[in-house]
Amino acid sequence: MRRRTAETCLPAIRAAAALIADAFRAGGKVLLCGNGGSAADCQHMASEFVSRLDRRVDRPALPAVALTTDTSVLTAFSNDVGFDGVFARQIQALGRPGDVLVAISTSGRSRNVVLGAEVARGLKMRVVALTGSGAALRGAADVNIAVPSDDTQFVQEAHLAVEHAICALVEGMLFDERGHR
């Protein structure tokens, strides 16, 4: 699956990394959203940007926030309003033009992720979608990285490799091996 993903998704992976690197260069940030295993991926990817991916690269922190981590916002909004808008609401609060939303959905159809992407587009944010072969999220994405599978476990495995590749490419685009811009 990783080989097929690399063969079919490499141009989109490179485009996503360039889009994210451009946002960081311009002073923007990355917001990330997803459910379940994709929520964990959001946290993992945000930590790679804030901390670093390659321990040999001593670099400044990059602004990235996983919208999946604030349990008070997640539970209050979901309880009071509904789960579908839980990411859209946070994007309204935190997103700015030029920021990037990384929207992760193995099916590509998670309603709260799709709505978040639509709100991000309305705010003139850029959207990178990581999906399986599902199509709903593609319409709201500037870059769609669609793993060629419908099997959740294989899509999740491929997403982790894609996320690491994006982080490595972004670090390479922004910093030399010593962490200098």
Side-chain angles (χ1 to χ4, degrees):
M1 179 51 54
R2 286 185 189 174
R3 177 187 218 93
R4 265 184 56 207
T5 299
E7 290 169 355
T8 60
C9 297
L10 188 56
I13 292 168
R14 286 185 177 138
L19 194 145
I20 291 168
D22 287 347
F24 286 143
R25 275 190 206 102
K29 66 185 160 301
V30 171
L31 303 176
L32 302 99
C33 67
N35 299 299
S38 298
D41 282 359
C42 292
Q43 294 170 39
H44 184 131
M45 195 169 185
S47 74
E48 303 291 16
F49 285 132
V50 172
S51 179
R52 62 185 176 194
L53 177 68
D54 187 337
R55 64 183 172 86
R56 297 168 297 179
V57 178
D58 184 21
R59 62 161 175 83
L62 297 170
V65 178
L67 302 178
T68 59
T69 59
D70 188 334
T71 56
S72 295
V73 169
L74 294 170
T75 58
F77 189 86
S78 296
N79 183 64
D80 295 347
V81 180
F83 192 62
D84 284 354
V86 72
F87 297 132
R89 185 64 166 193
Q90 293 180 82
I91 292 162
Q92 289 170 346
L94 301 171
R96 299 292 175 261
D99 289 346
V100 174
L101 174 69
V102 176
I104 307 174
S105 171
T106 56
S107 70
R109 296 183 303 273
S110 300
R111 184 76 180 131
N112 59 353
V113 176
V114 172
L115 286 174
E118 291 170 354
V119 165
R121 294 294 301 226
L123 292 172
K124 301 201 181 329
M125 293 174 62
R126 306 299 298 270
V127 178
V128 173
L130 276 71
T131 67
S133 56
L137 192 52
R138 291 181 194 173
D142 294 287
V143 177
N144 186 57
I145 302 168
V147 172
S149 177
D150 288 327
D151 190 324
T152 299
Q153 67 182 341
F154 295 131
V155 174
Q156 286 178 329
E157 289 172 8
H159 277 179
L160 182 59
V162 166
E163 292 152 7
H164 280 161
I166 290 170
C167 291
L169 287 167
V170 168
E171 279 189 353
M173 291 173 185
L174 295 178
F175 307 101
D176 65 20
E177 62 279 352
R178 294 178 314 280
H180 297 112
R181 288 186 190 238

